[in-house]
Amino acid sequence: QAKNGGFYVGANVGFSLISSNFYNSSSSGDDYGSFNFGFDAAYLFGVIPNLEVGLLAGYTQFIASGQYTYIDNGSAVLVDFKDASFVPIAASGRYYFADRKFFGGLDLGVGINVSGDAKTGFYARPKFGFNLNKITLIASFQSISGGQDYKNSNGNAGLSLNGFKSINAGIEYGF
């Protein structure tokens, strides 16, 4: 249990909130972004009682597959989704409640795209945790604004997918 900050490492899995329901699709849309996993490390400093702030870095992967066709003004846009990987680098903070058993936190920074056809974007991750001494259970919402652009059959810009979002559950160990 970190009483005045500390080093934390964690892992999480989640389900994507990315929807393909606006595509004319031969697939159900469940193949795209249906799963997300990641890990991170943070070092936090205690600044006042119950408040920790610091820096976080990690890795997050969105598993994606599937091809969809979107009709844009009579021109077909083939959307061939690929996995997307990001390295989030963020400022991190958390405030503890109830004798440090629960916390609410927020990570804000940049999600740097390292693979796939997505763009680097703004990273935000509000989270809630339940402290079990050295182990903490965490629930979070993750959002990376880096979208993807797809061209129509004439090679012109046709469609832009707007970011990556997921709901995650994870576990963290505090040193």
Side-chain angles (χ1 to χ4, degrees):
Q1 178 174 345
K3 295 184 179 175
N4 293 308
F7 184 69
Y8 301 92
V9 293
N12 62 76
V13 295
F15 296 98
S16 176
L17 299 177
I18 300 169
S19 171
S20 61
N21 58 7
F22 52 87
Y23 298 102
N24 298 325
S25 170
S26 60
S27 172
S28 67
D30 294 334
D31 293 336
Y32 178 63
S34 59
F35 182 70
N36 167 253
F37 68 90
F39 57 87
D40 53 51
Y43 191 82
L44 303 177
F45 301 91
V47 291
I48 61 173
N50 296 338
L51 178 65
E52 297 177 348
V53 297
L55 296 174
L56 173 136
Y59 174 83
T60 188
Q61 170 94 26
F62 285 84
I63 306 299
S65 65
Q67 291 186 341
Y68 304 87
T69 303
Y70 174 78
I71 306 301
D72 181 37
N73 293 327
S75 180
V77 178
L78 177 62
V79 178
D80 185 9
F81 294 121
K82 306 275 189 246
D83 288 1
S85 303
F86 297 90
V87 171
I89 299 173
S92 183
R94 44 178 83 170
Y95 187 83
Y96 289 88
F97 304 94
D99 294 328
R100 300 186 65 82
K101 286 294 182 191
F102 296 94
F103 74 81
L106 180 63
D107 303 333
L108 292 175
V110 62
I112 301 168
N113 177 257
V114 293
S115 74
D117 53 2
K119 300 175 196 171
T120 293
F122 178 72
Y123 174 79
R125 184 177 170 210
K127 55 187 169 184
F128 298 94
F130 179 67
N131 192 348
L132 300 169
N133 202 8
K134 294 266 185 202
I135 301 292
T136 302
L137 304 177
I138 295 179
S140 64
F141 169 77
Q142 178 177 245
S143 174
I144 301 172
S145 67
Q148 297 161 299
D149 294 327
Y150 297 96
K151 298 181 188 276
N152 64 20
S153 55
N154 297 326
N156 300 322
L159 178 67
S160 183
L161 179 64
N162 205 4
F164 294 82
K165 296 169 183 61
S166 63
I167 293 178
N168 297 68
I171 191 164
E172 179 181 83
Y173 183 80
F175 295 92

